[in-house]
Amino acid sequence: MSPVIDNLDLYWSGFLTSLEFIVYSLIGSMILGTVIAAFRVSPIAALRTFGSAYVTVVRNCPLTIVLFFMAFGLPELGINRSYFFFGIAGLVIYTSAFVCEALRSGINSVSSGQAEAARAIGLTFTQTMREVVLPQAFRSAIPPLGSVQIAMFKNSAVAGAFGIGGDLYSVGKTLTSARGFEYIPVLTGVAIGYLVITLSAGLALGLLERKVAIAR
């Protein structure tokens, strides 16, 4: 494990970069997934069709294809940004489809009578979703949403393979390819970094589940 110990500063920098990448992807996927979930239960047929089509296409498209399109397709269309940005965009697009379905299960668990009561007192669809349905839906959907996001944390390593730069995957690649260290200890260090992130997220999710259960 000497390659890890001797390069702890490099691993720490990669850990922080990966964490930043994950946080941006988490926030983006939650926002977009919530919007798509609202589309799927919207009274407007066009929005429901768009939401269903989005989820069907994205969920059945491999993540690597999405990331390839971001990395190589968008530049050909004249859209040039860093791959850090493209990687986040790819993960957000991909993960949001799964967030949508997890949240939609929470929406379906909310009694339809509550939505009808909200409409009866004059609330619009948007107000009903924001004030009545979504707060309860998020509570019910915490376990599946947590599973989706933890899967996204691990998928961030796939995005790193496309060259985010400075993340844990890039650290492993630098130490093995450029500096000639052995693969097993170097990748063990990378795996430990991702384990810290995912296990910490799992513990936080467990605490949140218990808090919501008490609140109910």
Side-chain angles (χ1 to χ4, degrees), residues 85-139:
F85 173 84
F86 284 150
I88 291 173
L91 271 188
V92 166
I93 290 171
Y94 183 78
T95 308
S96 62
F98 296 89
V99 169
C100 166
E101 290 302 276
L103 185 54
R104 192 163 69 95
S105 69
I107 292 173
N108 290 336
S109 72
V110 178
S111 170
S112 59
Q114 295 191 44
E116 292 171 2
R119 288 194 294 269
I121 63 174
L123 295 183
T124 64
F125 172 77
T126 301
Q127 291 171 327
T128 300
M129 291 294 293
R130 184 178 66 244
E131 305 294 339
V132 178
V133 177
L134 285 179
Q136 299 179 74
F138 274 111
R139 282 188 177 184

